[in-house]
Amino acid sequence: MFWKKKRNQRAEPDTPAKTIGGLFHQLKSNPDFIHFNHRSDTFTCWISFFHTLIDINFVHRDVLSFLYDRRVSSLNDAVRVLPMEKVIRTKDLTEIQAKLLDGYIIVQEKESSSECLLIPATKNHGRQVTEAETETSILGSHESLVESIEININLIRKRIPIPQLAIEEMRVGKISNTRVCLLSIDGVTNKENLNTIRQRIQSLEVTNLLDVAQLAILINDNGHSLFPQFLDTERPDRIASAIYEGKIAILVDGAPAALLLPTTIVEFFSAFDDYLVSWPIASAYRLLRLFAIAFSVTSSSFYVAILTFHYQLIPKELMSTLYTSRNSVPYDPIIEVLLLEIMIELLREAGARLPTKVGQTIGIVGGIVIGTASVQAGITSNVLLIIVAMSALAAFITPNYRMATTIRFIRFPFILSAQVLGLLGIALCYMLFVCHLIKLTSLGRPYIEPIFPLRVSDLKDAYIRLPYNNQTMRPLFLRTRDPGRARPKRVQAKKGKHKSDIDE
Amino acid sequence: MAAKISEASKIGPTSAFFIPQAMQVGVGFISFQQIVTDSPEQDGWISVLINGLATLFVMWTMLSMLENEKKYGQADLFSLQCRLLGKRIGNIMNIVILCYICFYTITYLRGFIEILQVEVFPQLSTFYFSLMFCFIIWYVVMGGIRNIFGTCLLSFIYAVPVFLSLLFIIPHAHFSNLLPIMEHSPRAILSSSFMATHEFLGFEYLMFFYPFIKQTKHAKRWAYFGLLNALYIHLAIIIVTITFFSQGALQATIWPTMTYWKSIHFPLFEHIDIIFCIIMLWNLIPSTSVCSWAMTRGIKSICPKIKMKYSIYGILILIILITSLIQNGEQIKEVHRLLVPVGFIVVYLYIPFLSFIQWLKKRLSGDHT
């Protein structure tokens, strides 16, 4: 169709420059582009760069001072003299353009000559490595990823100092050409997984890619699902341990987080701290978290269902408490619940968007003032206020923020179905979600893995965490090429030193 | 000839345990005690035991038949019938089997809706509930046999607390109720063991998904184990029921399991029976979806042009309509009584008969291997 054709043409960036002269002509209008002629007795050259992309001190000290040297009379001499390990000499215009925008300096003998020297002078300007903000931890490392991909790779390589750590770089985005890196360990990571993810990233059709979460949404298995299918984390220690386990990590330049894949649903509910405390405590906290999630999703819908349809479920003693607290409320339980739930959602959203100091004030005003006032005004009951506040608290126990928002969202279908069919409605809604989870895959691997398909050996590190010497195998789920984590025989030998009696 | 089954849609050998398990241990165990103890009274558990052991024999004939069939083509009931009985009679028998599956599903679905209407929601509309329920079934079946296997497995896990509830009854049990043993005539015991067929129906569905199992050698053990587990659960329930109720009270109770759930109290929940009833709803998903899936397979084998993803709509609409046609408890009882002889004929007579024909055909063709 002719109109479609036109639209497609418009989507293309301005026509690319054909010659190096054209390129300079195109860039000249930019105020930060510097292009000048250097003349000395022995050597004449054209130097061009973006002064916003390069380290200007470095250029003055280590590039220009050598170029202005008397010994230099040609580009060959310049290569010999320059104190850099890697000076590129090329005629390829696309490479020149890409490197120029990466922060390289271009040196030519004549302005129109296509042969150039490319000298790296990139300025790494970004945030310092700081404490993890979204996934805070008390025991583990306090470093977190930053926006620069070099620093992120450095943080991970420090933790995996082996030559088998394979880093594969790709460019995504028709215009933005964002750097995307796949990190895995040769000989451990499943080849099939790597091929799948590589193929998915290469076949992406996007103009720009700015964040790793955007990439996760673009490459996931089911785009309509409410559940995040890839785990995103900002903790380098967690990334490193996942890579050791046989997973793939994806880093995107400009994003302070990494994707770990494939992932199962239980990993969204495990924190890295679980691996740093003894196993009974870690297991207890994991179970607490799971209980909190179940409570958070179903508590207010149970309130609606029981008070609307099944009051025979409540024991007599509790009934009188509920009666006194709901005595002055003029609405049905559903109206009451929706009012409070939406209010809490508003508070959460306002707290997240506002600056930290104002956000705290909002939290206090909302939580205390509005909460008490609404009870005193007789709009909601005390009991419900407790339930809703507790379930909001419980939802944020989830260590992963994206999962926490999912948990907070799926309570609304539960509340509505509880109003329609009571407990039966909750059961039907639950069934629909579980059937969806059974269907869901992450990189083609089952999403609720240790439960379905049932793999007993993977249950050791899912809902509970057993001691390390019980976990001699890597997760079956990842289908790693080296399934053993430790040699079971040696672990057994260490364990098997039986004493013949007490005190012997 | 049916299309070859891709490796990706195959399921592990444990499916031979979980799928028949989900089909067998279903809604029936809420009500079967009264029917079984009708004539043999306290000896009812012997009838259950006899029937349960008989299923092991049927399973043996079924498995050996399917294993033999592998040489000739796809080892499921539909293509097996076509090969043994000829294309025309085979297809007629396929339609008969389809009717049986449909009948089985509707009996179970309507039976459970009745329980919900009496115990949880008196005003529940059969039509709207089955409509909503069939939407979930549609979603599960569209995901294929792997998904259905997942629901079977989860239903087994969810049912564990329901069976553990038997422990609450033991303090109230009078084990002397079981005595005297073998007081009744063998005729009474056998006739009630015929009535217990209803409880053990469902394992014959292995014949539909057998070609989808990956390592059939391991699956055999799981299949027998599943039957033994179903037998154990039913035996435990019937013994607990006989010891909990007196014979007079038992004959007057329609759903004895519901009645003893009502005797359990927790500080936070008064009526645990409603909760259990809703947990048992989970059991309905795998049984209904296995049935609908088997029906779509059957339709495809009769008329290969109709794709499974389209015939599922027709099947679900049929199920919804027939389910809402059955109106009251009397009709449901009638339907349940009808399922017993039909199921008995299919499982205990027709399957051994097919196996015999297969053996005969092999003999006549002179293939002595």
Side-chain angles (χ1 to χ4, degrees):
Chain A
M1 302 293 163
F2 61 94
W3 62 83
K4 265 189 183 165
K5 224 175 181 179
K6 236 178 196 174
R7 207 174 277 167
N8 279 345
Q9 276 173 353
R10 212 174 289 157
E12 292 283 330
D14 234 346
T15 43
K18 294 264 162 44
T19 58
I20 190 138
L23 178 70
F24 289 146
H25 182 73
Q26 202 177 16
L27 296 174
K28 245 172 202 166
S29 59
N30 292 319
D32 58 346
F33 182 64
I34 290 171
H35 180 61
F36 66 97
N37 192 0
H38 156 67
R39 276 168 209 278
S40 73
D41 304 343
T42 50
F43 184 53
T44 310
C45 65
W46 282 86
I47 299 173
S48 31
F49 52 83
F50 278 99
H51 76 80
T52 44
L53 288 177
I54 59 148
D55 189 347
I56 201 80
N57 287 332
F58 172 79
V59 173
H60 288 166
R61 195 181 61 227
D62 296 329
V63 181
L64 295 186
S65 62
F66 286 93
L67 276 184
Y68 294 174
D69 198 301
R70 270 175 189 280
R71 284 172 293 168
V72 176
S73 56
S74 66
L75 283 185
N76 280 338
D77 291 339
V79 175
R80 214 180 313 128
V81 165
L82 282 171
M84 260 141 263
E85 67 286 350
K86 198 177 164 193
V87 175
I88 304 166
R89 190 165 186 173
T90 182
K91 286 182 177 177
D92 181 10
L93 189 63
T94 46
E95 192 185 357
I96 294 169
Q97 190 178 337
K99 292 290 181 198
L100 180 66
L101 288 162
D102 271 352
Y104 279 56
I105 300 172
I106 298 182
V107 179
Q108 298 159 286
E109 263 183 303
K110 283 180 213 134
E111 191 175 9
S112 55
S113 84
S114 58
E115 189 166 27
C116 302
L117 277 192
L118 301 174
I119 304 162
T122 317
K123 175 162 66 176
N124 276 326
H125 188 72
R127 197 153 60 95
Q128 289 292 308
V129 176
T130 51
E131 190 130 344
E133 289 275 325
T134 47
E135 281 173 86
T136 46
S137 137
I138 297 153
L139 295 171
S141 129
H142 287 254
E143 283 175 334
S144 95
L145 296 189
V146 290
E147 281 77 3
S148 153
I149 200 167
E150 273 84 17
I151 300 179
N152 290 348
I153 290 177
N154 165 272
L155 287 174
I156 295 165
R157 259 211 199 277
K158 262 199 305 195
R159 289 172 171 82
I160 312 179
I162 50 168
Q164 285 91 335
L165 177 67
I167 299 179
E168 194 181 321
E169 193 178 297
M170 283 188 259
R171 297 272 177 169
V172 178
K174 216 158 142 198
I175 300 177
S176 70
N177 262 326
T178 315
R179 286 169 70 191
V180 173
C181 284
L182 294 186
L183 279 77
S184 60
I185 294 184
D186 274 343
V188 175
T189 314
N190 184 303
K191 278 265 157 89
E192 205 180 308
N193 283 351
L194 259 177
N195 288 338
T196 318
I197 193 65
R198 194 178 296 136
Q199 193 256 329
R200 278 192 200 174
I201 291 178
Q202 275 164 356
S203 63
L204 271 183
E205 279 293 331
V206 284
T207 48
N208 56 336
L209 180 75
L210 295 175
D211 198 85
V212 79
Q214 197 185 357
L215 184 73
I217 292 165
L218 286 168
I219 59 173
N220 61 9
D221 298 46
N222 184 348
H224 304 295
S225 178
L226 293 176
F227 295 89
Q229 287 142 49
F230 301 133
L231 184 74
D232 51 335
T233 178
E234 57 165 10
R235 303 183 56 85
D237 48 359
R238 190 167 192 185
I239 299 168
S241 81
I243 292 176
Y244 276 127
E245 212 167 44
K247 284 193 181 143
I248 304 164
I250 301 184
L251 291 171
V252 173
D253 197 11
L259 284 188
L260 302 178
L261 40 114
T263 325
T264 60
I265 191 166
V266 281
E267 280 164 43
F268 286 93
F269 302 117
S270 71
F272 195 71
D273 273 7
D274 292 350
Y275 295 96
L276 306 175
V277 290
S278 72
W279 71 269
I281 297 173
S283 306
Y285 277 103
R286 278 196 182 175
L287 291 177
L288 173 79
R289 247 175 255 142
L290 285 173
F291 171 75
I293 304 310
F295 180 82
S296 165
V297 171
T298 54
S299 61
S300 41
S301 51
F302 264 110
Y303 180 85
V304 172
I306 290 175
L307 287 193
T308 316
F309 297 104
H310 313 279
Y311 19 83
Q312 69 267 43
L313 277 178
I314 309 165
K316 260 183 247 144
E317 304 78 33
L318 196 64
M319 196 65 183
S320 62
T321 323
L322 271 177
Y323 179 76
T324 36
S325 107
R326 259 190 65 74
N327 205 4
S328 60
V329 180
Y331 305 119
D332 282 347
I334 174 82
I335 305 281
E336 211 187 344
V337 166
L338 282 181
L339 257 175
L340 265 187
E341 286 286 352
I342 291 172
M343 203 174 79
I344 292 249
E345 280 302 300
L346 285 178
L347 282 175
R348 186 189 65 78
E349 190 62 20
R353 299 289 155 248
L354 284 171
T356 340
K357 282 171 190 164
V358 191
Q360 279 173 0
T361 329
I362 286 287
I364 293 164
V365 170
I368 299 171
V369 178
I370 301 179
T372 359
S374 64
V375 170
Q376 279 171 356
I379 295 174
T380 55
S381 65
N382 293 324
V383 179
L384 182 65
L385 192 67
I386 297 170
I387 290 177
V388 170
M390 265 177 70
S391 66
L393 201 65
F396 289 112
I397 271 189
T398 323
N400 186 284
Y401 182 74
R402 283 206 291 160
M403 200 44 148
T405 41
T406 303
I407 297 287
R408 297 216 30 87
F409 182 77
I410 61 175
R411 65 222 325 252
F412 287 100
F414 272 95
I415 293 170
L416 293 180
S417 54
Q419 172 64 18
V420 178
L421 269 180
L423 284 181
L424 214 55
I426 297 178
L428 287 178
C429 192
Y430 178 74
M431 282 171 183
L432 198 61
F433 272 115
V434 171
C435 292
H436 172 69
L437 284 178
I438 291 175
K439 218 179 216 180
L440 209 56
T441 52
S442 163
L443 211 64
R445 311 276 168 200
Y447 189 54
I448 52 167
E449 187 261 343
I451 292 296
F452 172 72
L454 191 63
R455 291 195 188 122
V456 181
S457 68
D458 284 8
L459 276 173
K460 285 176 189 168
D461 186 13
Y463 300 101
I464 52 169
R465 183 180 78 74
L466 290 187
Y468 285 125
N469 53 9
N470 277 13
Q471 299 182 24
T472 51
M473 305 297 275
R474 290 207 166 82
L476 274 177
F477 165 70
L478 297 170
R479 300 261 169 234
T480 49
R481 288 161 73 206
D482 177 21
R485 201 173 344 215
R487 262 183 244 155
K489 259 189 191 165
R490 284 176 62 177
V491 176
Q492 285 299 323
K494 223 175 166 186
K495 249 197 307 190
K497 278 180 191 157
H498 281 299
K499 288 181 178 170
S500 51
D501 199 0
I502 318 174
D503 294 344
E504 265 180 22
Chain B
M1 192 68 212
K4 214 169 178 302
I5 298 157
S6 76
E7 201 62 30
S9 61
K10 283 194 171 183
I11 47 182
T14 46
S15 59
F17 174 83
F18 287 109
I19 297 180
Q21 186 75 26
M23 304 292 290
Q24 282 188 304
V25 185
V27 182
F29 85 83
I30 295 180
S31 60
F32 80 109
Q33 298 98 320
Q34 189 220 351
I35 305 163
V36 171
T37 55
D38 195 16
S39 48
E41 298 185 334
Q42 79 272 26
D43 287 339
W45 63 274
I46 302 174
S47 335
V48 174
L49 186 66
I50 290 171
N51 201 320
L53 292 176
T55 56
L56 288 175
F57 166 73
V58 178
M59 182 59 99
W60 176 75
T61 47
M62 232 163 76
L63 284 175
S64 57
M65 180 163 71
L66 290 169
E67 202 52 43
N68 286 335
E69 187 62 21
K70 265 188 174 174
K71 278 178 254 165
Y72 305 104
Q74 205 165 47
D76 66 359
L77 186 61
F78 296 119
S79 41
L80 191 141
Q81 277 177 338
C82 276
R83 190 181 75 86
L84 293 181
L85 307 173
K87 195 136 202 197
R88 189 162 295 171
I89 305 173
N91 271 339
I92 291 171
M93 281 318 292
N94 281 351
I95 292 171
V96 171
I97 290 291
L98 280 183
C99 292
Y100 163 69
I101 302 173
C102 193
F103 182 45
Y104 178 92
T105 328
I106 288 162
T107 318
Y108 267 62
L109 186 59
R110 190 63 188 91
F112 200 84
I113 294 176
E114 173 73 4
I115 294 173
L116 288 179
Q117 280 168 341
V118 172
E119 298 287 337
V120 185
F121 255 114
Q123 312 99 324
L124 187 70
S125 150
T126 313
F127 177 74
Y128 286 114
F129 180 77
S130 47
L131 194 69
M132 277 186 277
F133 190 75
C134 284
F135 172 71
I136 298 179
I137 299 300
W138 171 79
Y139 191 75
V140 174
V141 175
M142 288 303 268
I145 188 74
R146 278 186 73 92
N147 244 348
I148 296 171
F149 176 36
T151 57
C152 290
L153 202 151
L154 285 180
S155 94
F156 181 79
I157 294 171
Y158 291 138
V160 168
V162 176
F163 297 123
L164 289 182
S165 72
L166 293 179
L167 294 176
F168 289 101
I169 306 302
I170 288 176
H172 307 288
H174 301 282
F175 283 96
S176 56
N177 278 4
L178 285 172
L179 300 173
I181 295 173
M182 296 293 277
E183 197 197 20
H184 297 81
S185 66
R187 192 189 148 79
I189 290 177
L190 283 180
S191 78
S192 99
S193 117
F194 168 70
M195 293 307 285
T197 309
H198 178 262
E199 260 328 279
F200 290 99
L201 283 185
F203 66 96
E204 71 275 13
Y205 285 84
L206 185 73
M207 301 193 75
F208 303 115
F209 68 89
Y210 191 76
F212 286 84
I213 300 178
K214 254 179 210 158
Q215 298 142 317
T216 39
K217 230 179 210 170
H218 299 287
K220 272 183 191 169
R221 235 179 304 152
W222 284 107
Y224 290 121
F225 182 49
L227 284 183
L228 286 176
N229 195 38
L231 173 61
Y232 161 72
I233 288 171
H234 286 122
L235 212 55
I237 289 173
I238 190 86
I239 288 175
V240 163
T241 314
I242 292 171
T243 54
F244 184 72
F245 292 93
S246 70
Q247 277 307 317
L250 185 55
Q251 289 312 316
T253 328
I254 304 173
W255 295 313
T257 314
M258 287 304 265
T259 311
Y260 66 63
W261 279 344
K262 277 184 182 152
S263 67
I264 306 169
H265 295 283
F266 283 114
L268 210 59
F269 287 118
E270 196 71 12
H271 277 259
I272 206 77
D273 56 319
I274 292 182
I275 307 275
F276 280 163
C277 203
I278 281 166
I279 294 177
M280 285 314 291
L281 188 61
W282 245 105
N283 196 270
L284 213 57
I285 289 191
S287 52
T288 319
S289 46
V290 169
C291 288
S292 337
W293 180 84
M295 274 153 84
T296 54
R297 293 268 315 160
I299 288 174
K300 200 181 179 183
S301 75
I302 293 168
C303 180
K305 270 185 188 166
I306 304 175
K307 279 188 178 170
M308 284 168 79
K309 60 180 171 183
Y310 300 126
S311 57
I312 181 76
Y313 291 106
I315 286 163
L316 289 179
I317 289 169
L318 195 74
I319 289 175
I320 295 169
L321 288 182
I322 300 180
T323 310
S324 42
L325 279 181
I326 307 171
Q327 274 163 357
N328 52 34
E330 275 309 307
Q331 287 174 351
I332 293 164
K333 220 172 183 181
E334 280 301 304
V335 173
H336 270 268
R337 290 214 176 264
L338 197 62
L339 183 64
V340 174
V342 173
F344 188 83
I345 290 169
V346 170
V347 172
Y348 292 99
L349 300 180
Y350 183 60
I351 289 175
F353 168 72
L354 265 186
S355 169
F356 173 70
I357 288 193
Q358 192 193 39
W359 175 80
L360 207 65
K361 204 159 185 179
K362 203 170 153 189
R363 263 295 145 87
L364 289 178
S365 65
D367 183 13
H368 298 287
T369 43

